[in-house]
Amino acid sequence: METTSRVGAQAPAAEGGQQLPSARRTVDGYLRATFPWYGLDEAFTGPRWLMQVGTAADGAVEHGSIGHGDEPSVRGETGAVGEPREKFAVVVTVAAQPSRRSADGTGLLEATSVSSAAWLAGVGLLSFTWPGQMDHSLRDDWLDQQTETAWALADDLDGPEWSRLSLPVDGVAASFHYRESEYGWVLAGTTEAGVHLGAYGRGMSAYGLGFAAIKDIAEYA
């Protein structure tokens, strides 16, 4: 999947160059999408917030993320002694796209797939993770290594690292690829609405989640 930019106001950077989720993205990019956005269904009654969208070279919106629960900070997988873990889940919507020519006609863009959603979800979880006791200067190397690992895992959804999990999408049971790590969980699947779904989280169990198309994304602004 070819993603060249992110749409929305630039958020201030946190340590390690990551952008803080509290500087919320604008709704403009989400409104430009030609596919439906997904989030947790109405059984989830906590906070919901926009994150970011990704675009292709021609400016077309290809994917985006919507957060639920506590807005995560960039930190290690464990907080200070006695500090409660953040509880959040992020839903990633990826437009189902075939292999196609780039906007300038000079290249071929890869088709999107469930693996695309799995990779975006895996990298998303990493962006809010910092292993305890790691020196700040080593985090970029750690992120590079873990990003490659996330890609390898996403490319092998039938491998031993993944299990199957059935969750409702628009009220109908759907099968997802699911894995857990010391940093949280990641899942990915597809829908009949022309999109692939990825999700990641920490502190919230994935087993009780359900997904539904968002009726009016403008309400998140």
Side-chain angles (χ1 to χ4, degrees), residues 17-220:
Q18 299 302 309
Q19 293 188 333
L20 292 173
S22 57
R24 299 176 183 175
R25 302 283 173 160
T26 68
V27 75
D28 297 351
Y30 293 85
L31 293 173
R32 294 196 351 243
T34 59
F35 53 88
W37 293 106
Y38 273 76
L40 297 186
D41 61 21
E42 60 186 14
F44 176 79
T45 58
R48 300 170 183 249
W49 28 277
L50 300 178
M51 296 183 70
Q52 62 192 24
V53 301
T55 64
D58 60 2
V61 176
E62 288 197 327
H63 62 84
S65 303
I66 295 173
H68 306 74
D70 303 328
E71 294 191 39
S73 58
V74 181
R75 64 174 189 179
E77 68 273 16
T78 57
V81 176
E83 180 184 352
R85 292 167 61 93
E86 294 163 329
K87 299 179 180 180
F88 68 92
V90 173
V91 179
V92 183
T93 306
V94 183
Q97 299 276 17
S99 179
R100 60 209 185 279
R101 287 285 179 185
S102 60
D104 58 10
T106 60
L108 191 66
L109 301 181
E110 293 183 3
T112 59
S113 65
V114 177
S115 289
S116 306
W119 182 75
L120 287 168
V123 171
L125 180 61
L126 289 174
S127 68
F128 297 117
T129 300
W130 191 323
Q133 312 304 317
M134 178 176 285
D135 185 88
H136 294 195
S137 63
L138 298 177
R139 187 168 190 264
D140 285 345
D141 290 339
W142 178 85
L143 275 176
D144 288 343
Q145 180 186 55
Q146 293 301 313
T147 297
E148 289 296 325
T149 300
W151 175 252
L153 288 171
D155 202 37
D156 186 24
L157 292 176
D158 293 322
E161 297 292 335
W162 298 90
S163 60
R164 286 283 187 166
L165 182 61
S166 180
L167 297 172
V169 178
D170 292 325
V172 179
S175 180
F176 287 87
H177 300 273
Y178 174 78
R179 68 178 176 88
E180 294 181 355
S181 74
E182 59 187 306
Y183 309 118
W185 52 262
V186 171
L187 60 80
T190 193
T191 77
E192 298 180 356
V195 298
H196 305 294
L197 290 184
Y200 61 92
R202 190 164 58 216
M204 290 174 58
S205 172
Y207 287 86
L209 301 182
F211 305 96
I214 296 171
K215 296 178 180 178
D216 185 5
I217 191 69
E219 292 181 354
Y220 285 62

